Amino acid sequence: MRPDHLHAPDRSREHGAAGGAAAVAHPNIALIKYWGKRDERLVLPRTDSLSMTLDILPTTTHVRLDPEAEHDEVTLDGVPLEGGARQRVITFLELVRERAGSSRRAAVDSRNTVPTGAGLASSASGFAALAVAASAAYGLDLDATALSRLARRGSGSASRSIFGDFAIWHAGRPTGSATDADLGSYAEPVPVAEFDPALVVAVVNAGPKDVSSREAMRRTVETSPLYGPWAASSEGDLVDMRSALRRGDLDAVGEIAERNALGMHATMLAARPAVRYLSAPTLDVLDSVLRLRRDGVPAYATMDAGPNVKVLCHRTDADRVAGVVRSAAPGGSVLVAGRGPGARLLAEGER
Ligand code: PMV
């Protein structure tokens, strides 16, 4: 496969005059977590990670090229983005323009179905949708692997949202070459058995987090004595997880995901100063998951850089699990997700 920086830009494919391009992507939840970068600029992780793409909360993004414009215009849910959030999108567009050999500015309009600030990672679906729409608008012909590498530069976890179902993001190995340093770091689908899991998402706090995942990762890697041991054990978790998914063994998948997530949070708690995303309602939901298991319902928890809890269970148990979780965290809201699709371009008629 050709590295994406060798793809020749095709001017005739630039969609500036033809109304641009639009794409949709869904969030993903990691069952084996990405926590810690080895290169911040290229967004290269220290460990492999593995996730399930959800079938809820899609992001739809339109990118229109404007030959007259002097600046990029970026809106999220109809509101112009400002400051760091706007700059992050513009830096990403610069990367696409560099590859396409274009200097045209763009108007980016992104819509989330998740209520703004609901505390759910929308950067994965956001940058996956932007990677697909922007590369098409600028006439780049990227395959899924190259799209995944590109999305990674916006947000690491976005590399996995290019794919549906279950995806592994390879950390890649340092090659010593400046130009192909990140070629080994991309996501791809992982083979799984026919099984029907659900993720019950308990939104216990809709507020923005105090510490960004970027800062929390950096602090954990630099100061936590538990980081090295967790990263090493995560390699074994990944091997076990792949085998559990091939068997369609929900109990094993859940047990491995839960221990991997708790371990990741332990590394943060041991950072100096500590990073603690888990709050009292988080622990109430974790207690309810233990009660469900004691009552014979297979249910397993995972948490990301925030207090919200995602509970893995059989689809057939999802309503019961959602009810128990809802009463454990009465102030929050509960959503049920299944296996979702990969990112895709929208046809004219779908926009
Ligand atoms: O992609 P980022 O920078 O938002 O990092 C996400 C990290 C976790 O959500 C905590 C874990 C993961 O693998 O998605």
Side-chain angles (χ1 to χ4, degrees), residues 28-37 43 48-51 88 121-124 127 152 154-160 169 209 212-214 217 230 260 264-265 268 277 302-306 310:
N28 69 77
I29 298 299
L31 304 177
I32 301 293
K33 301 296 184 189
Y34 147 54
W35 195 250
K37 296 179 180 64
V43 195
D48 299 339
S49 56
L50 189 152
S51 61
R88 212 169 148 191
S122 52
S123 66
F127 278 101
R152 190 197 78 225
S155 175
S157 52
S159 64
R160 299 183 309 237
W169 171 22
K209 49 190 170 226
S212 70
S213 57
R214 168 180 287 223
M217 279 184 205
W230 173 78
N260 189 267
M264 176 186 77
H265 284 276
M268 295 182 219
Y277 287 121
T302 182
M303 296 81 63
D304 294 295
K310 296 91 185 181

Side-chain angles (χ1 to χ4, degrees), residues 219-302:
R219 197 188 299 171
T220 306
V221 171
E222 287 174 3
T223 71
S224 174
L226 299 189
Y227 183 73
W230 173 78
S233 70
S234 199
E235 280 180 35
D237 286 348
L238 183 81
V239 173
D240 295 348
M241 178 62 81
R242 294 190 74 151
S243 141
L245 285 169
R246 265 196 306 273
R247 300 193 307 273
D249 181 344
L250 184 116
D251 282 294
V253 170
E255 270 169 30
I256 301 160
E258 193 173 284
R259 75 181 184 223
N260 189 267
L262 289 171
M264 176 186 77
H265 284 276
T267 67
M268 295 182 219
L269 291 169
R272 296 162 195 183
V275 181
R276 184 170 63 82
Y277 287 121
L278 312 182
S279 63
T282 310
L283 300 183
D284 290 338
V285 175
L286 292 180
D287 282 347
S288 76
V289 170
L290 283 180
R291 278 198 301 278
L292 277 162
R293 286 216 287 270
R294 270 203 300 269
D295 292 344
V297 181
Y300 302 89
T302 182

Side-chain angles (χ1 to χ4, degrees), residues 55-68:
D55 60 356
I56 59 170
L57 309 174
T59 300
T60 305
T61 299
H62 290 73
V63 177
R64 192 170 41 79
L65 305 196
D66 185 347
E68 310 292 318

